[in-house]
Structure formats: structure tokens, C-alpha cells
Amino acid sequence: QVQLVESGGGLVQPGGSLTLSCAASGSLLRLYAMGWYRQAPGKERERVALIDSAYYTEYADSVKGRFTISRDNVNSAVYLQMNSLKPEDTAVYYCNFPGRLVSWGQGTQVTVSS
């Protein structure tokens, strides 16, 4: 069973930046699309970014132009560079395989507040 471990969250002021990391056990990552998701309190989990095996990327409208997803197949890792953060970006962020969801990791908390 693939295990996903997210890290890199924290408290940041509006306008600040953070880079999230996701480590996936095994070698499946290089074969499939990977996505970053987030879940804010009282809201459903939503996908904010996706990168497929050909490095094609997609973003939710709410983060387009501010977030950048990337992947490192050698190290089985996916990253999310988040710039110009807003309070509404506050959420727990998770990674997973779009369309082939595996057990969710513990996520990493991102809090954007002054």
C-alpha cells in the first residue's frame, strides 16, 4: 500500500509563500498523475493542482497564477510552491493520485493570517 507523507505547512502572513512537499512510498508516483488537495474547516476537500506523468499541469481557478505544482520522479516526491497566499488558502493540504485515490496521509496545515 502506498503511503503519502505531506510536510512544509505552517503559519504565514498574507502575501507570503510556502512550499509543500509530498513523499510517496514505492515507485508508483512516476507512473501516474499526482494532485494536491486541501480541506478548509467546514468545507469539502477540493483539488487545487494536478501534474500528470507528462508534466501537464492543471490548477483550480482560485490558485491559478499563485501556486505551482512540480514533481521529482527520482525521489518520488511532489511539491506545491504557494505564493501570494491569502487567508482563504488556510486549510489542511494533502497529496494523492487523482482518479486512483489511495489512503490519505495526515496532511499538513497551512494557516494564512496576520
Side-chain angles (χ1 to χ4, degrees):
Q1 177 72 355
V2 176
Q3 290 188 318
L4 301 170
V5 179
E6 302 90 352
S7 62
L11 173 64
V12 63
Q13 293 186 342
S17 299
L18 280 175
T19 299
L20 307 184
S21 299
C22 166
S25 63
S27 59
L28 287 180
L29 185 143
R30 64 182 176 83
L31 299 176
Y32 302 120
M34 283 293 294
W36 279 98
Y37 300 75
R38 67 185 181 188
Q39 186 167 22
K43 295 188 177 181
E44 293 189 354
R45 190 160 6 208
E46 63 170 343
R47 193 177 73 205
V48 297
L50 172 153
I51 184 167
D52 73 7
S53 57
Y55 296 87
Y56 167 78
T57 58
E58 280 186 0
Y59 298 93
D61 288 343
S62 59
V63 307
K64 203 170 292 183
R66 301 188 297 121
F67 290 10
T68 302
I69 188 172
S70 60
R71 64 191 297 157
D72 178 352
N73 289 340
V74 172
N75 293 305
S76 293
V78 179
Y79 306 99
L80 187 67
Q81 173 68 43
M82 305 186 296
N83 298 325
S84 302
L85 283 161
K86 304 176 181 180
E88 51 263 44
D89 295 318
T90 295
V92 180
Y93 284 72
Y94 304 85
C95 60
N96 214 311
F97 297 87
R100 302 173 179 270
L101 295 177
V102 300
S103 296
W104 295 94
Q106 83 287 350
T108 186
Q109 175 71 49
V110 172
T111 302
V112 185
S113 175
S114 55

